Amino acid sequence: MASRRATKERAAADARPPLRCMTIVAQDPGLTRGGRILTAKVAVPAEDLMAGPMGYRVQVVDYDSTRRYYHGSHVLPATYDREPRRWRRGEPSIVKDVRFHAQNVYALVMKTLARFELALGRRLGWSFENHQLKIAPHGMFDANAFYSPIHEGLLLGYFRGRSGRPVYTSLSHDVVVHETTHALLDGLRERYLVPSNPDQAAFHEGFADVIALLSVFSLPEVVTHLLTPARHARNGATTIARRHIEHEALQTSALFGLADQMGQELDGLRGNALRRSTELGANPKILDDPEFGEPHRRGEVFVAAVMQAFIAAWSARIKDMGLEGQRAFPLASVVEEGADVADAMATLWIRALDYMPPVHLTFQDALTAALTSDTQVRPDDQRFKLRHHLKTHFAAFGIVPVKAKNGSPADCWTAAPKDLRYHRVRFESMRNDKDEVFRFLWENQEALGLQTDAYAKVISVRPCLRTGIDGFALRETVAEYYQVARLTPSEFSDRKIPLPRGFLAHLKRLKLERDAKAAKRSKSRAGALERDGLDADDGDEPSPDAGIDDDDSFATAIYGGGVLIFDEYGRLKYHVHNRIFGRRQKQRLKYLWDAGLLTARVEGAGYRAQRLATLHRMRSIDARKFPAEGW
Amino acid sequence: MPKGPTSVEIRTYQVGFGDCFLLSFVYSGTDKRHVLIDFGTTGLPGRTRRRSAHMPRIAKHIKSVCGPNGLTAVVATHRHADHINGFGTDGGTGRSGSIIRDLKPRLVLQPWTEDPGAKTDARKATRESSRSRKSFVAGLAAMNDVAAMVASIATKPPAWMSSALQKELLFLGQDNVANRSAVDNLIAMGRRPGSTAVWAHHGSPSGLERLLPGVTVHVLGPPDLTQTEKIRKQKSRDPDQFWHLLSAGASTKGRNLLAKGFPSGARAKRHPVPPAARWFRDRLERLNGQQILEIVRTLDQQMNNTSLILLFEVFGKKLLFPGDAQIENWSYALGDAPDAAKTRALLAEVDVYKVGHHGSLNATPKQALWERFRKRNKGLRTLLSTLPGKHGSSRSHTEVPRKTLLQELEARSILQNTMRLKATSPEPCLLLTLKR
């Protein structure tokens, strides 16, 4: 009897589908139709959820740190059909339903995680050791939301809007996905939050915006709503006129239309990314403008390029599908294509991450990575022409792919050298063993341009299986490594990397202070020893006459690194890297010093990373920093 | 009509963490005209000093210096307590403001942000901008509300809050709350028959020249909204909105939202925090404290940037009094304004520099201002009114006064520093005299 029951249960468990559906707010409570909040039904990986809800990757902790109040461990409906009807209908009461808020954030985080895993063809970890990302849907009273790696979680704030009504960032689709993307990107590229160059900090914000916005546009419910004015919906319109699917018209209705309808109160939190993407005109010099030096502003250029490319691809696709001179198009097809293009664009950018260097990323690197990785898994770009539109719209802002060398295809990374040594490494081990990949690096130091006098470490080895939109499968192994060297000023000089003058002056000042303190200590010790009738030895106090040039207590760390992409046979396809002693280091160090992100200290200079919470607040008040003017 | 002053006496008063400067333009033995720039404190040196005793003492000294002619002008550079609470007529500073009021200043000069007319001026700054003087000033008022909430939290801190955090929140919160009594007294002094109130911005008249013959006064900051919005290449959102959202409802029902939030959802019984959630709960609470600190630091800086920046020219000498202006305020005068080159040329020849914001790290622009002073090592005089241990921390290199700046001031200028003046000394000020 017992074994029959167990068999029955096992059979039931095996019959459970891998996905389940949940209701979420399609954009935010500001997007309504017929008095109801626009909702969407999304598929997320199925799992046995505990009260919280808590699953294998996410733990919702509904604790309000302002009120010091725990809302309780929420038990979510087991299936979509068991959800309260008012959730699915989007009734206004869901704004006050904290259980629904918990489901909303859980579903959006899991959907985004699943999206990344599908695109990258493997499981993803967080940047911290634990398995679960914590989420506080009502974390504190604040017009802010952010990811914090050291707290291993997302904090979503709440506040009162201008109308006096409560505003919950946990109900904003793009805000939740934006923060989740920060967490996922941090897990994939942990050094992107370390200061490097203006593009890298901007990329974190810009990329998170892009994924968030494309996530919204990939919902047919949202696209239908934006393309169908309410009166047409009431009349049951099923077609859309050609003039409304031209590039400019789509830009106005889709991008601008969404920007306009997004909850106004969250404008500050979101920055102006979506609105800017419609306003920023072609300007190849825009990134040289000091107004676009701040990460949140610079990131808007990245968003504008991607979103304008998305609209161009969508418009072109619809026209390609139709007949010459066709005046109206089926609404359902236009919506479906829009959602598909958004989905494909998001996938393209997520996959591109594997082809980006692990340190010192620039927008140019990001674009080249996107074009290269997409070529690998989707050689045929005829359907959406995404690569063509991306190149065009990035070029409008002065961002062009890195020039390929050695006869490699244009717009792609240069192929890896052919004369590499494989005979001492084992292919199977290289698919998941960091030591084996390190051995490969060791065997090929010269060919790969590694510095032998710098510390090297393999950070990750990730086998993946990617499937293109046409079923084409691609097996790769992606391994990241970085290099670090702590150099004295004279060692920098030997490698022809001059340190910023102000930084050197500061180091010298620190040395003088340290030596003065040491001399004082020495004198007092000598005095004490003399009183005790003992000889004072020289000790190991540094000579006050020695400069900082060779004193390694004033060493500054410098980084380089790369990503190795192996094909299914274990052969290196690409080596995307930034040399640790390369020419670009001089410019980077100058930028870091001028931006106040490089601090001179005894026992090693440091890099001052900015918290994402602070970055978002700066974005809210559109603040500018002038660190070169500070003391 | 006198031609011009024969000397200028600058008194830097000991007000601890605060500013109070009396400029006396001497035309003759009987004709001295006095301009009081700021009068406030948020912390006095020594343990036993009370503001209600100390500030009236300062005010009486100012009165004795001014003599029967009283004050020519009062300048309140911006609304921070450590610059204006001495003008209060309530008990907080021992009614020191009443003594100042009785000196019947003929001019009260403040930044445009304090103009009561700005509160209702809803015209957009430019055609391309969504900001108006009304929205900007309303934003400042919202900041005052947020500061009051922060000060209240720090007065009754939750158990998890460290004493260091509490101290900083209390200091910044109190410095940024609205000083009703001081503001009212400044307005009243400006409205008195025979007096004028002037609200200035970059390039506008100060109103001081007609009262100080032979003295030219340049108003270098703060920029007006029209000035800042015009130079933007991209239309800005309404960044003032952020403060409204934080303070919204604070004044309705008297609820401190930063301390108490508001209930989300239907009222339910209190749930115990399960073991699996406690680790994150503890970190959320500490994060809450960090966020509140960040909020109040941000608004403190924004408030500093409403500061008047005045440059006095008298018998060829240039005296710079920038209040607490930080680099964002300076950037307009030094870089973005149409007359920026002329301003930079003027500032290169400064003889006396009142160190901005009590010697903080970002109120003496290093490259754009300090390194262009030609008289460093050649007789440049600097005046510093400050008190260490009140603001910022050395661990994060934000201590006030900033060590690196102080070293530079001592090495390259003749520094008068109130840190060296005991609160109990018979003369409550340092004196610098410049002669023609």
Side-chain angles (χ1 to χ4, degrees), chain A residues 398-427:
Chain A
I399 304 164
V400 296
V402 173
K403 210 166 174 183
K405 292 178 201 162
N406 304 334
S408 297
D411 304 333
C412 289
W413 289 123
T414 301
K418 297 281 179 232
D419 54 344
L420 296 171
R421 295 195 281 210
Y422 296 90
H423 54 279
R424 285 188 192 153
V425 292
R426 296 285 165 261
F427 160 57

PDB file of all heavy atoms in Angstrom, chain A residues 398-427:
ATOM      1  N   GLY A 398      29.111  57.531 -32.327  1.00  0.00           N
ATOM      2  CA  GLY A 398      30.569  57.462 -32.351  1.00  0.00           C
ATOM      3  C   GLY A 398      31.147  56.172 -31.823  1.00  0.00           C
ATOM      4  O   GLY A 398      32.338  56.100 -31.517  1.00  0.00           O
ATOM      5  N   ILE A 399      30.331  55.124 -31.712  1.00  0.00           N
ATOM      6  CA  ILE A 399      30.844  53.852 -31.178  1.00  0.00           C
ATOM      7  C   ILE A 399      30.877  52.848 -32.319  1.00  0.00           C
ATOM      8  O   ILE A 399      29.828  52.502 -32.885  1.00  0.00           O
ATOM      9  CB  ILE A 399      29.940  53.312 -30.050  1.00  0.00           C
ATOM     10  CG1 ILE A 399      29.787  54.379 -28.946  1.00  0.00           C
ATOM     11  CG2 ILE A 399      30.507  52.022 -29.466  1.00  0.00           C
ATOM     12  CD1 ILE A 399      28.637  54.122 -27.993  1.00  0.00           C
ATOM     13  N   VAL A 400      32.077  52.399 -32.647  1.00  0.00           N
ATOM     14  CA  VAL A 400      32.234  51.445 -33.746  1.00  0.00           C
ATOM     15  C   VAL A 400      32.962  50.216 -33.213  1.00  0.00           C
ATOM     16  O   VAL A 400      33.678  50.294 -32.215  1.00  0.00           O
ATOM     17  CB  VAL A 400      33.010  52.062 -34.931  1.00  0.00           C
ATOM     18  CG1 VAL A 400      32.218  53.207 -35.530  1.00  0.00           C
ATOM     19  CG2 VAL A 400      34.384  52.529 -34.511  1.00  0.00           C
ATOM     20  N   PRO A 401      32.791  49.075 -33.885  1.00  0.00           N
ATOM     21  CA  PRO A 401      33.463  47.856 -33.403  1.00  0.00           C
ATOM     22  C   PRO A 401      34.981  48.006 -33.451  1.00  0.00           C
ATOM     23  O   PRO A 401      35.517  48.780 -34.258  1.00  0.00           O
ATOM     24  CB  PRO A 401      32.989  46.770 -34.371  1.00  0.00           C
ATOM     25  CG  PRO A 401      31.818  47.346 -35.075  1.00  0.00           C
ATOM     26  CD  PRO A 401      31.976  48.816 -35.077  1.00  0.00           C
ATOM     27  N   VAL A 402      35.669  47.242 -32.605  1.00  0.00           N
ATOM     28  CA  VAL A 402      37.129  47.190 -32.622  1.00  0.00           C
ATOM     29  C   VAL A 402      37.565  46.589 -33.953  1.00  0.00           C
ATOM     30  O   VAL A 402      36.937  45.654 -34.463  1.00  0.00           O
ATOM     31  CB  VAL A 402      37.637  46.323 -31.444  1.00  0.00           C
ATOM     32  CG1 VAL A 402      39.133  46.111 -31.525  1.00  0.00           C
ATOM     33  CG2 VAL A 402      37.258  46.956 -30.120  1.00  0.00           C
ATOM     34  N   LYS A 403      38.634  47.140 -34.488  1.00  0.00           N
ATOM     35  CA  LYS A 403      39.077  46.670 -35.803  1.00  0.00           C
ATOM     36  C   LYS A 403      39.677  45.262 -35.694  1.00  0.00           C
ATOM     37  O   LYS A 403      40.597  45.033 -34.897  1.00  0.00           O
ATOM     38  CB  LYS A 403      40.145  47.643 -36.312  1.00  0.00           C
ATOM     39  CG  LYS A 403      40.196  47.755 -37.795  1.00  0.00           C
ATOM     40  CD  LYS A 403      41.020  48.952 -38.215  1.00  0.00           C
ATOM     41  CE  LYS A 403      41.145  48.922 -39.729  1.00  0.00           C
ATOM     42  NZ  LYS A 403      41.965  49.972 -40.256  1.00  0.00           N
ATOM     43  N   ALA A 404      39.178  44.349 -36.506  1.00  0.00           N
ATOM     44  CA  ALA A 404      39.710  42.977 -36.476  1.00  0.00           C
ATOM     45  C   ALA A 404      41.045  42.926 -37.210  1.00  0.00           C
ATOM     46  O   ALA A 404      41.303  43.698 -38.120  1.00  0.00           O
ATOM     47  CB  ALA A 404      38.717  42.033 -37.135  1.00  0.00           C
ATOM     48  N   LYS A 405      41.870  41.970 -36.775  1.00  0.00           N
ATOM     49  CA  LYS A 405      43.204  41.845 -37.403  1.00  0.00           C
ATOM     50  C   LYS A 405      43.373  40.458 -37.999  1.00  0.00           C
ATOM     51  O   LYS A 405      42.542  39.562 -37.770  1.00  0.00           O
ATOM     52  CB  LYS A 405      44.287  42.047 -36.325  1.00  0.00           C
ATOM     53  CG  LYS A 405      44.349  43.448 -35.772  1.00  0.00           C
ATOM     54  CD  LYS A 405      45.422  43.530 -34.693  1.00  0.00           C
ATOM     55  CE  LYS A 405      45.168  44.710 -33.787  1.00  0.00           C
ATOM     56  NZ  LYS A 405      45.849  44.645 -32.518  1.00  0.00           N
ATOM     57  N   ASN A 406      44.487  40.307 -38.707  1.00  0.00           N
ATOM     58  CA  ASN A 406      44.902  38.980 -39.172  1.00  0.00           C
ATOM     59  C   ASN A 406      43.837  38.295 -40.016  1.00  0.00           C
ATOM     60  O   ASN A 406      43.654  37.081 -39.929  1.00  0.00           O
ATOM     61  CB  ASN A 406      45.262  38.053 -37.988  1.00  0.00           C
ATOM     62  CG  ASN A 406      46.330  38.661 -37.110  1.00  0.00           C
ATOM     63  OD1 ASN A 406      47.142  39.473 -37.549  1.00  0.00           O
ATOM     64  ND2 ASN A 406      46.328  38.294 -35.846  1.00  0.00           N
ATOM     65  N   GLY A 407      43.109  39.110 -40.792  1.00  0.00           N
ATOM     66  CA  GLY A 407      42.143  38.521 -41.715  1.00  0.00           C
ATOM     67  C   GLY A 407      40.872  38.020 -41.054  1.00  0.00           C
ATOM     68  O   GLY A 407      40.057  37.355 -41.709  1.00  0.00           O
ATOM     69  N   SER A 408      40.658  38.338 -39.771  1.00  0.00           N
ATOM     70  CA  SER A 408      39.411  37.908 -39.122  1.00  0.00           C
ATOM     71  C   SER A 408      38.255  38.709 -39.712  1.00  0.00           C
ATOM     72  O   SER A 408      38.464  39.826 -40.197  1.00  0.00           O
ATOM     73  CB  SER A 408      39.493  38.151 -37.615  1.00  0.00           C
ATOM     74  OG  SER A 408      40.519  37.368 -37.057  1.00  0.00           O
ATOM     75  N   PRO A 409      37.031  38.175 -39.636  1.00  0.00           N
ATOM     76  CA  PRO A 409      35.881  38.907 -40.197  1.00  0.00           C
ATOM     77  C   PRO A 409      35.747  40.277 -39.549  1.00  0.00           C
ATOM     78  O   PRO A 409      35.990  40.452 -38.351  1.00  0.00           O
ATOM     79  CB  PRO A 409      34.683  38.015 -39.840  1.00  0.00           C
ATOM     80  CG  PRO A 409      35.252  36.668 -39.613  1.00  0.00           C
ATOM     81  CD  PRO A 409      36.649  36.861 -39.111  1.00  0.00           C
ATOM     82  N   ALA A 410      35.350  41.239 -40.375  1.00  0.00           N
ATOM     83  CA  ALA A 410      35.170  42.599 -39.882  1.00  0.00           C
ATOM     84  C   ALA A 410      34.086  42.627 -38.815  1.00  0.00           C
ATOM     85  O   ALA A 410      33.173  41.798 -38.816  1.00  0.00           O
ATOM     86  CB  ALA A 410      34.775  43.523 -41.042  1.00  0.00           C
ATOM     87  N   ASP A 411      34.177  43.578 -37.921  1.00  0.00           N
ATOM     88  CA  ASP A 411      33.199  43.811 -36.850  1.00  0.00           C
ATOM     89  C   ASP A 411      33.208  42.738 -35.780  1.00  0.00           C
ATOM     90  O   ASP A 411      32.335  42.734 -34.913  1.00  0.00           O
ATOM     91  CB  ASP A 411      31.757  43.932 -37.406  1.00  0.00           C
ATOM     92  CG  ASP A 411      31.636  44.997 -38.455  1.00  0.00           C
ATOM     93  OD1 ASP A 411      32.416  45.964 -38.433  1.00  0.00           O
ATOM     94  OD2 ASP A 411      30.779  44.852 -39.341  1.00  0.00           O
ATOM     95  N   CYS A 412      34.128  41.813 -35.854  1.00  0.00           N
ATOM     96  CA  CYS A 412      34.210  40.756 -34.838  1.00  0.00           C
ATOM     97  C   CYS A 412      35.569  40.802 -34.159  1.00  0.00           C
ATOM     98  O   CYS A 412      36.503  41.435 -34.664  1.00  0.00           O
ATOM     99  CB  CYS A 412      34.040  39.377 -35.484  1.00  0.00           C
ATOM    100  SG  CYS A 412      32.364  39.074 -36.047  1.00  0.00           S
ATOM    101  N   TRP A 413      35.658  40.130 -33.029  1.00  0.00           N
ATOM    102  CA  TRP A 413      36.955  40.008 -32.375  1.00  0.00           C
ATOM    103  C   TRP A 413      37.930  39.276 -33.298  1.00  0.00           C
ATOM    104  O   TRP A 413      37.532  38.427 -34.091  1.00  0.00           O
ATOM    105  CB  TRP A 413      36.843  39.211 -31.072  1.00  0.00           C
ATOM    106  CG  TRP A 413      36.135  39.917 -29.939  1.00  0.00           C
ATOM    107  CD1 TRP A 413      35.042  39.479 -29.270  1.00  0.00           C
ATOM    108  CD2 TRP A 413      36.491  41.164 -29.329  1.00  0.00           C
ATOM    109  NE1 TRP A 413      34.678  40.363 -28.280  1.00  0.00           N
ATOM    110  CE2 TRP A 413      35.552  41.410 -28.305  1.00  0.00           C
ATOM    111  CE3 TRP A 413      37.499  42.114 -29.555  1.00  0.00           C
ATOM    112  CZ2 TRP A 413      35.596  42.565 -27.487  1.00  0.00           C
ATOM    113  CZ3 TRP A 413      37.541  43.248 -28.744  1.00  0.00           C
ATOM    114  CH2 TRP A 413      36.593  43.465 -27.726  1.00  0.00           C
ATOM    115  N   THR A 414      39.180  39.603 -33.130  1.00  0.00           N
ATOM    116  CA  THR A 414      40.217  38.889 -33.872  1.00  0.00           C
ATOM    117  C   THR A 414      40.263  37.444 -33.376  1.00  0.00           C
ATOM    118  O   THR A 414      40.199  37.193 -32.158  1.00  0.00           O
ATOM    119  CB  THR A 414      41.580  39.565 -33.615  1.00  0.00           C
ATOM    120  OG1 THR A 414      41.486  40.922 -34.045  1.00  0.00           O
ATOM    121  CG2 THR A 414      42.699  38.858 -34.351  1.00  0.00           C
ATOM    122  N   ALA A 415      40.355  36.519 -34.298  1.00  0.00           N
ATOM    123  CA  ALA A 415      40.396  35.098 -33.921  1.00  0.00           C
ATOM    124  C   ALA A 415      41.671  34.804 -33.127  1.00  0.00           C
ATOM    125  O   ALA A 415      42.679  35.496 -33.262  1.00  0.00           O
ATOM    126  CB  ALA A 415      40.348  34.229 -35.176  1.00  0.00           C
ATOM    127  N   ALA A 416      41.596  33.759 -32.323  1.00  0.00           N
ATOM    128  CA  ALA A 416      42.742  33.391 -31.479  1.00  0.00           C
ATOM    129  C   ALA A 416      43.912  32.922 -32.359  1.00  0.00           C
ATOM    130  O   ALA A 416      43.703  32.452 -33.477  1.00  0.00           O
ATOM    131  CB  ALA A 416      42.329  32.274 -30.522  1.00  0.00           C
ATOM    132  N   PRO A 417      45.130  33.045 -31.832  1.00  0.00           N
ATOM    133  CA  PRO A 417      46.289  32.570 -32.618  1.00  0.00           C
ATOM    134  C   PRO A 417      46.157  31.081 -32.925  1.00  0.00           C
ATOM    135  O   PRO A 417      45.560  30.312 -32.159  1.00  0.00           O
ATOM    136  CB  PRO A 417      47.486  32.824 -31.693  1.00  0.00           C
ATOM    137  CG  PRO A 417      47.001  33.671 -30.588  1.00  0.00           C
ATOM    138  CD  PRO A 417      45.526  33.578 -30.518  1.00  0.00           C
ATOM    139  N   LYS A 418      46.743  30.685 -34.035  1.00  0.00           N
ATOM    140  CA  LYS A 418      46.609  29.282 -34.462  1.00  0.00           C
ATOM    141  C   LYS A 418      47.685  28.401 -33.824  1.00  0.00           C
ATOM    142  O   LYS A 418      47.517  27.202 -33.684  1.00  0.00           O
ATOM    143  CB  LYS A 418      46.720  29.182 -35.994  1.00  0.00           C
ATOM    144  CG  LYS A 418      45.620  29.906 -36.729  1.00  0.00           C
ATOM    145  CD  LYS A 418      44.335  29.092 -36.734  1.00  0.00           C
ATOM    146  CE  LYS A 418      43.235  29.863 -37.463  1.00  0.00           C
ATOM    147  NZ  LYS A 418      42.036  29.977 -36.673  1.00  0.00           N
ATOM    148  N   ASP A 419      48.810  29.001 -33.471  1.00  0.00           N
ATOM    149  CA  ASP A 419      49.963  28.189 -33.054  1.00  0.00           C
ATOM    150  C   ASP A 419      49.992  27.959 -31.543  1.00  0.00           C
ATOM    151  O   ASP A 419      51.026  28.141 -30.893  1.00  0.00           O
ATOM    152  CB  ASP A 419      51.255  28.894 -33.493  1.00  0.00           C
ATOM    153  CG  ASP A 419      51.299  30.338 -32.967  1.00  0.00           C
ATOM    154  OD1 ASP A 419      50.245  30.872 -32.555  1.00  0.00           O
ATOM    155  OD2 ASP A 419      52.393  30.934 -32.944  1.00  0.00           O
ATOM    156  N   LEU A 420      48.860  27.550 -30.997  1.00  0.00           N
ATOM    157  CA  LEU A 420      48.826  27.346 -29.544  1.00  0.00           C
ATOM    158  C   LEU A 420      49.143  25.888 -29.221  1.00  0.00           C
ATOM    159  O   LEU A 420      48.980  25.004 -30.064  1.00  0.00           O
ATOM    160  CB  LEU A 420      47.434  27.713 -29.008  1.00  0.00           C
ATOM    161  CG  LEU A 420      47.065  29.194 -29.186  1.00  0.00           C
ATOM    162  CD1 LEU A 420      45.602  29.421 -28.839  1.00  0.00           C
ATOM    163  CD2 LEU A 420      47.956  30.075 -28.321  1.00  0.00           C
ATOM    164  N   ARG A 421      49.553  25.666 -27.987  1.00  0.00           N
ATOM    165  CA  ARG A 421      49.956  24.309 -27.591  1.00  0.00           C
ATOM    166  C   ARG A 421      48.859  23.667 -26.764  1.00  0.00           C
ATOM    167  O   ARG A 421      48.442  24.215 -25.739  1.00  0.00           O
ATOM    168  CB  ARG A 421      51.256  24.372 -26.797  1.00  0.00           C
ATOM    169  CG  ARG A 421      52.413  24.881 -27.649  1.00  0.00           C
ATOM    170  CD  ARG A 421      53.724  24.600 -27.000  1.00  0.00           C
ATOM    171  NE  ARG A 421      53.980  25.585 -25.959  1.00  0.00           N
ATOM    172  CZ  ARG A 421      55.188  25.986 -25.603  1.00  0.00           C
ATOM    173  NH1 ARG A 421      56.247  25.498 -26.199  1.00  0.00           N
ATOM    174  NH2 ARG A 421      55.360  26.849 -24.637  1.00  0.00           N
ATOM    175  N   TYR A 422      48.446  22.527 -27.193  1.00  0.00           N
ATOM    176  CA  TYR A 422      47.362  21.812 -26.506  1.00  0.00           C
ATOM    177  C   TYR A 422      47.800  20.457 -25.980  1.00  0.00           C
ATOM    178  O   TYR A 422      47.065  19.811 -25.247  1.00  0.00           O
ATOM    179  CB  TYR A 422      46.177  21.581 -27.461  1.00  0.00           C
ATOM    180  CG  TYR A 422      45.517  22.849 -27.943  1.00  0.00           C
ATOM    181  CD1 TYR A 422      45.954  23.491 -29.104  1.00  0.00           C
ATOM    182  CD2 TYR A 422      44.448  23.397 -27.244  1.00  0.00           C
ATOM    183  CE1 TYR A 422      45.348  24.649 -29.538  1.00  0.00           C
ATOM    184  CE2 TYR A 422      43.826  24.559 -27.682  1.00  0.00           C
ATOM    185  CZ  TYR A 422      44.289  25.189 -28.830  1.00  0.00           C
ATOM    186  OH  TYR A 422      43.670  26.347 -29.260  1.00  0.00           O
ATOM    187  N   HIS A 423      48.991  20.001 -26.362  1.00  0.00           N
ATOM    188  CA  HIS A 423      49.287  18.596 -26.122  1.00  0.00           C
ATOM    189  C   HIS A 423      49.505  18.261 -24.644  1.00  0.00           C
ATOM    190  O   HIS A 423      49.476  17.103 -24.271  1.00  0.00           O
ATOM    191  CB  HIS A 423      50.487  18.136 -26.973  1.00  0.00           C
ATOM    192  CG  HIS A 423      51.699  18.981 -26.810  1.00  0.00           C
ATOM    193  ND1 HIS A 423      51.859  20.182 -27.470  1.00  0.00           N
ATOM    194  CD2 HIS A 423      52.798  18.805 -26.041  1.00  0.00           C
ATOM    195  CE1 HIS A 423      53.025  20.712 -27.124  1.00  0.00           C
ATOM    196  NE2 HIS A 423      53.614  19.900 -26.261  1.00  0.00           N
ATOM    197  N   ARG A 424      49.689  19.307 -23.790  1.00  0.00           N
ATOM    198  CA  ARG A 424      49.872  18.972 -22.368  1.00  0.00           C
ATOM    199  C   ARG A 424      48.610  19.226 -21.537  1.00  0.00           C
ATOM    200  O   ARG A 424      48.636  19.113 -20.314  1.00  0.00           O
ATOM    201  CB  ARG A 424      51.019  19.795 -21.773  1.00  0.00           C
ATOM    202  CG  ARG A 424      52.389  19.324 -22.204  1.00  0.00           C
ATOM    203  CD  ARG A 424      53.450  20.045 -21.430  1.00  0.00           C
ATOM    204  NE  ARG A 424      54.758  19.804 -22.035  1.00  0.00           N
ATOM    205  CZ  ARG A 424      55.780  20.636 -21.956  1.00  0.00           C
ATOM    206  NH1 ARG A 424      55.649  21.781 -21.309  1.00  0.00           N
ATOM    207  NH2 ARG A 424      56.929  20.319 -22.510  1.00  0.00           N
ATOM    208  N   VAL A 425      47.544  19.633 -22.200  1.00  0.00           N
ATOM    209  CA  VAL A 425      46.301  19.841 -21.442  1.00  0.00           C
ATOM    210  C   VAL A 425      45.248  18.849 -21.900  1.00  0.00           C
ATOM    211  O   VAL A 425      45.311  18.329 -23.007  1.00  0.00           O
ATOM    212  CB  VAL A 425      45.765  21.294 -21.594  1.00  0.00           C
ATOM    213  CG1 VAL A 425      46.692  22.281 -20.909  1.00  0.00           C
ATOM    214  CG2 VAL A 425      45.576  21.657 -23.042  1.00  0.00           C
ATOM    215  N   ARG A 426      44.314  18.596 -21.014  1.00  0.00           N
ATOM    216  CA  ARG A 426      43.267  17.609 -21.289  1.00  0.00           C
ATOM    217  C   ARG A 426      41.972  18.347 -21.592  1.00  0.00           C
ATOM    218  O   ARG A 426      41.494  19.149 -20.781  1.00  0.00           O
ATOM    219  CB  ARG A 426      43.056  16.691 -20.078  1.00  0.00           C
ATOM    220  CG  ARG A 426      44.270  15.848 -19.772  1.00  0.00           C
ATOM    221  CD  ARG A 426      44.427  14.698 -20.761  1.00  0.00           C
ATOM    222  NE  ARG A 426      45.769  14.118 -20.665  1.00  0.00           N
ATOM    223  CZ  ARG A 426      46.778  14.418 -21.498  1.00  0.00           C
ATOM    224  NH1 ARG A 426      46.620  15.265 -22.484  1.00  0.00           N
ATOM    225  NH2 ARG A 426      47.965  13.847 -21.343  1.00  0.00           N
ATOM    226  N   PHE A 427      41.395  18.094 -22.740  1.00  0.00           N
ATOM    227  CA  PHE A 427      40.209  18.805 -23.215  1.00  0.00           C
ATOM    228  C   PHE A 427      39.050  18.678 -22.233  1.00  0.00           C
ATOM    229  O   PHE A 427      38.386  19.657 -21.890  1.00  0.00           O
ATOM    230  CB  PHE A 427      39.849  18.275 -24.609  1.00  0.00           C
ATOM    231  CG  PHE A 427      38.427  18.557 -25.005  1.00  0.00           C
ATOM    232  CD1 PHE A 427      37.940  19.855 -25.033  1.00  0.00           C
ATOM    233  CD2 PHE A 427      37.567  17.531 -25.340  1.00  0.00           C
ATOM    234  CE1 PHE A 427      36.630  20.122 -25.403  1.00  0.00           C
ATOM    235  CE2 PHE A 427      36.257  17.795 -25.717  1.00  0.00           C
ATOM    236  CZ  PHE A 427      35.777  19.076 -25.747  1.00  0.00           C
TER     237      PHE A 427
END
